[in-house]
Amino acid sequence: MELMQGVKENIEAAAREGIVAFDCRDGSEVLLIPYALFFPGDNPMQAELCSHSGLSCNFFCRTCHVGGTKAEKESNDGFQTLFAEGQLRTSQKTESIIRNCFHLATESGASKKVDKIVSSGVRDSLSHRTVEQVIEKGKELRGRGRYKGKATAKPENEIVSQLKSMLEIGAPRINPLLSMDGALLLIHDTSVLNSPAPSSLLYYAGVEIPLDTPTEILHTVLLGIVKYFWGQTIWIVKQDSTLDTFRARLASLNSEGLNTPKINAEYMCKYSGSLIGKHFKLIAQVMEFVVYDLVPSDVLQAWRAIGTLVVLLWHTTIEDIDKYPSDLRKAIDDFLNITAKCAPSILISKPKFHFLVHLPTYMQRFGPAIVFSTERYESFNSIFRLSCIHSNRQAPSRDSCEHLAYSNSIKHILSGGYWYSKANKSWVKAGPGVLKALEQSPEVRNLLGLYKPQSSIVVGAAKLHPAPAKNKRLRRRAAGSSTPSENIAAGSGSHNEPSAAASNARIDDETHTSEPQPPGEHTLTQEISLVDLRQPVRWSTTLCSRVDGISVQNTHMLRAKTVVTGSGDTAQIGSHVIYSHELVESSKF
C-alpha cells in the first residue's frame, strides 16, 4: 500500500500531460493517455486496496455490504443474502468513514466509537496505526483502561486539543486509491468512423476501487471452492477405505486433451493438502469420472456443477455478452444451491463462495475472467526471487525494478523499437547490424521473450523422426499363427512400394492395419528389428485418411515428429489440434 501513492501520482500525471511515443507503422508521433483499468490481486491484497478489514470480519465482502454477525448470517433472512449481491460500497463513503475516525479518536470513549463506525468492514492500513496511537494516548491522559488512577489534571478541552495536535503532527495518510483521478477520453464509434460525421463519446475513466478489484479466479475458484471440495472428497474416500480405488481410477484416466503431460495420482493423493493451482484445474475437469460411485450423490452433483462453472470461467472470448452473464449466473446459482445441501455452514464460514456472485458483473465490466487472473503473475515469482537474491539486498524492490526496466529497454531496442534521441532531436532505432545479431542468436531471442518472426515460419514444415538406434527392437503381439516368431524389417521394400508386411504391421500410433488378419486362426509374436519411423507408409493406412475423408491413390507419406500449423504453432504428433475443414460444412473439431 505504501507504493500506491507513487503509482497514483505517476498515472495521474501521465493522464494529464500524456506520453509522447512513436508509431512505427504510421511513422508519426502519438500521444498515449494511460488510466487505471482494474487492480488484480489475491483477496487479502484487494481488501487492503479497498481499505477493507478482510475475509475474517463480519462484513467480509469488499464489494458490497453483505454480512453481519454469525447469528445474523445463520438466520433465514441473513443466510439468503449470501446468494445475491448486496448494497455496493463506494470510495466516497469509505473515505468519509476513515476521516470520521480521526475526529472520533480525540473524543472520550473513542475506542468504542471507532469500533462501532468501522464495524461495517472499513479498515485503512495507512492510517489505522496512527488512530490507535491517538486513542491510546487519550486513555493515558484521561486515566482510562490500564491507566486508571493515573489521570492528568488537564481539562477535557486541553486533552482534545493535544490529541488533535498529535494527529496533525503524525499527518496520517489515507488510501490514495480512494480519491484517484481518472482520464477524460474521447472514444470514437468505429462502426461509423468512415461516415461524414463519426459518432464519438466523452468518457471519464476514473477509479471506483470497490468495483475495480475484480474477483480473482485462481485464489477464489481453484485455491478456494475446488480445494474445499477436494479436501471433503479425500476425507470421504479415506473414511470409506476406498482411497486405493480412487487413486487407481485417477491414475488410469486418459490425459489427452487436458494439456497436462501426466496425472500423478500417487503424489496428489499422498500430498492432498499441498496441491497447487495446476492440480486443482485438472481435478475440476476429471473428478466426476473418478468418484461417480465413491461419494454421496450431492457431492457428485457439486463436482458436476464445478466442472460446468470452470468451463464458463476459463473462456478466452465471450461471443454473446448479453447471454453469457445469464448462463454464468445460472451456473453459480446451481453450484451455491448444491453446496447449501452438502454443507450449509461452509457458505457462512468461507466468504469465497459469496465472491462468485460478483463475477458476472466484473466480467461485464472487464471481459473474460482470465483477463484479471493472477496466474500469469504467479509465474514471475521465481524471477523476482532470483532478482532479489542476485542483488546487494539493501533495496531489493528497487533493484528488481531497475533490472526489469533495463531488460525491457534491451528488448525494445533489439526488436526494432524507436526511441527519442536528444542529440539528433529525432526518433531513431537500432541499425541493421544489431537487428541481424538478434536473428542469429535464437537463445537470446528466447531469453528476451521475443518470438520468431511470422515471416520466417514455414506452415506445414515437418520435423522427421531421428534415425533408429542400433539393435533397437520392438515387440508386439498381433493376430497370427502359433508358429515361431519371424523377423519383419520395416520398410524392407523399395521406396515406391513398401513391403506388405511393413504396411500391415502397426508399429506406431499414427498407422493402423487396413486389412487385419482374421482373429482366432493362430497367434504370432512378430518381432520388428531396427524400426525406422522415417520410412514412407501408405496414405490409406494412416489415421489422417480417416479424419479428413480424402482418398489419395498410390501415395506414400512420411511420419513426422512435429509439424507447423497455419497459426505458426508447432504441434506434436499425437496431440489434439482444433481446426475446421472446408469439406465438412459447418463442422469444427
Side-chain angles (χ1 to χ4, degrees), residues 65-268:
H65 288 279
V66 162
T69 62
K70 184 178 180 181
E72 292 173 346
K73 287 183 285 189
E74 289 177 348
S75 64
N76 291 334
D77 294 338
F79 189 75
Q80 188 175 359
T81 60
L82 302 177
F83 293 80
E85 293 181 290
Q87 181 184 359
L88 297 179
R89 297 179 183 268
T90 63
S91 300
Q92 183 179 4
K93 180 65 176 177
T94 302
E95 184 178 3
S96 175
I97 292 176
I98 295 173
R99 294 192 180 280
N100 195 17
C101 289
F102 297 156
H103 173 70
L104 295 177
T106 62
E107 297 181 355
S108 178
S111 182
K112 293 183 178 180
K113 293 179 180 179
V114 171
D115 289 343
K116 182 178 180 180
I117 196 174
V118 300
S119 61
S120 60
V122 176
R123 182 184 183 277
D124 185 58
S125 60
L126 292 179
S127 60
H128 179 72
R129 181 172 178 81
T130 303
V131 172
E132 287 185 337
Q133 291 175 347
V134 172
I135 293 176
E136 188 68 19
K137 186 65 175 179
K139 291 181 180 180
E140 179 183 356
L141 295 176
R142 296 185 178 95
R144 307 282 175 81
R146 60 187 180 132
Y147 302 103
K148 190 173 183 180
K150 301 179 182 180
T152 61
K154 295 182 179 180
E156 180 65 21
N157 58 345
E158 291 187 9
I159 295 177
V160 172
S161 178
Q162 182 178 347
L163 294 177
K164 287 183 178 180
S165 300
M166 184 177 176
L167 270 177
E168 293 176 357
I169 295 174
R173 294 180 298 168
I174 297 180
N175 182 0
L177 299 180
L178 297 175
S179 58
M180 184 172 178
D181 295 332
L184 197 62
L185 307 177
L186 184 63
I187 301 177
H188 294 282
D189 188 352
T190 56
S191 61
V192 293
L193 192 59
N194 296 326
S195 62
S199 176
S200 60
L201 174 65
L202 195 62
Y203 176 72
Y204 180 76
V207 174
E208 185 65 36
I209 194 62
L211 301 180
D212 291 339
T213 50
T215 301
E216 204 280 314
I217 55 177
L218 171 62
H219 297 89
T220 304
V221 178
L222 295 181
L223 301 179
I225 61 175
V226 178
K227 184 177 182 179
Y228 301 152
F229 274 91
W230 164 257
Q232 181 67 18
T233 302
I234 290 295
W235 183 84
I236 292 174
V237 296
K238 285 183 177 180
Q239 290 294 110
D240 296 342
S241 301
T242 56
L243 181 61
D244 292 338
T245 303
F246 173 82
R247 184 190 298 110
R249 289 181 181 178
L250 188 60
S252 62
L253 283 176
N254 189 349
S255 61
E256 292 185 9
L258 294 176
N259 195 24
T260 179
K262 183 182 178 181
I263 300 177
N264 196 341
E266 183 68 27
Y267 175 87
M268 295 170 66

Side-chain angles (χ1 to χ4, degrees), residues 339-361:
T339 302
K341 291 182 63 178
C342 295
S345 61
I346 199 173
L347 294 174
I348 299 175
S349 59
K350 302 296 184 181
K352 292 182 179 180
F353 287 90
H354 170 75
F355 293 164
L356 296 176
V357 176
H358 297 290
L359 268 172
T361 302

